[in-house]
């Protein structure tokens, strides 16, 4: 199960949050930052121990979505392990170049 930490406006915010959580005892290797921006992807990957994945649709998914009206980013979130409800909730933010941070660890309390 994946636990959502939050949706962030920039890679700097995500990096700070990862570092804060690391100090609190969370394992960065169990965190994943999801983004569709390649530059943000590389920045987070190079500056943290967290995993980074892209939610940007492939060319095949873009073409498929034209005909099926599916939301490939939402599908990627569900495939990643988010619930349907969370995938719908965070889909628009990711489409607007925000970064979603999730963890595999049970939260000690609310983030």
């Amino acid at each position: 199960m994946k636990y959502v930490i939050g949706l962030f406006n920039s890679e700097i915010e995500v990096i700070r949050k990862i570092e804060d959580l690391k100090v609190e005892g969370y394992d960065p290797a169990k965190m994943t930052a999801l983004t569709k921006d390649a530059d943000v992807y590389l920045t987070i990957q190079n500056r943290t121990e967290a995993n980074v994945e892209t939610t940007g649709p492939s060319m095949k998914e873009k073409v498929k979505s034209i005909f099926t009206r599916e939301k490939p980013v939402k599908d990627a979130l569900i495939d990643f392990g988010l619930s349907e409800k969370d995938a719908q909730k965070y889909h628009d933010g990711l489409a607007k170049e925000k970064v979603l941070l999730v963890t595999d660890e049970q939260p000690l309390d609310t983030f």
Side-chain angles (χ1 to χ4, degrees):
M1 179 172 204
K2 305 290 184 187
Y3 301 95
V4 174
I5 296 170
L7 191 62
F8 299 87
N9 291 317
S10 71
E11 66 269 27
I12 299 302
E13 289 179 10
V14 172
I15 292 167
R16 285 183 184 145
K17 186 64 175 182
I18 291 168
E19 291 303 316
D20 290 346
L21 291 169
K22 185 177 173 181
V23 169
E24 292 177 22
Y26 286 88
D27 182 357
K30 293 184 179 179
M31 294 179 210
T32 303
L34 299 162
T35 180
K36 67 179 237 178
D37 185 313
D39 292 333
V40 170
Y41 177 100
L42 291 173
T43 302
I44 296 169
Q45 185 178 42
N46 291 331
R47 298 203 41 207
T48 72
E49 298 169 37
N51 301 300
V52 187
E53 292 192 23
T54 182
T55 61
S58 66
M59 182 57 78
K60 179 181 172 186
E61 291 169 322
K62 287 179 185 178
V63 172
K64 178 183 169 189
S65 70
I66 291 169
F67 296 105
T68 63
R69 300 198 183 276
E70 289 179 15
K71 297 178 180 174
V73 172
K74 181 182 169 191
D75 293 342
L77 293 175
I78 292 169
D79 291 345
F80 177 71
L82 293 183
S83 68
E84 175 88 23
K85 180 181 174 185
D86 280 346
Q88 182 63 43
K89 181 177 179 180
Y90 296 110
H91 168 264
D92 292 336
L94 285 166
K96 294 177 183 172
E97 308 288 326
K98 294 188 179 196
V99 182
L100 182 65
L101 185 61
V102 300
T103 183
D104 294 334
E105 292 182 289
Q106 176 88 27
L108 299 174
D109 55 20
T110 57
F111 291 105

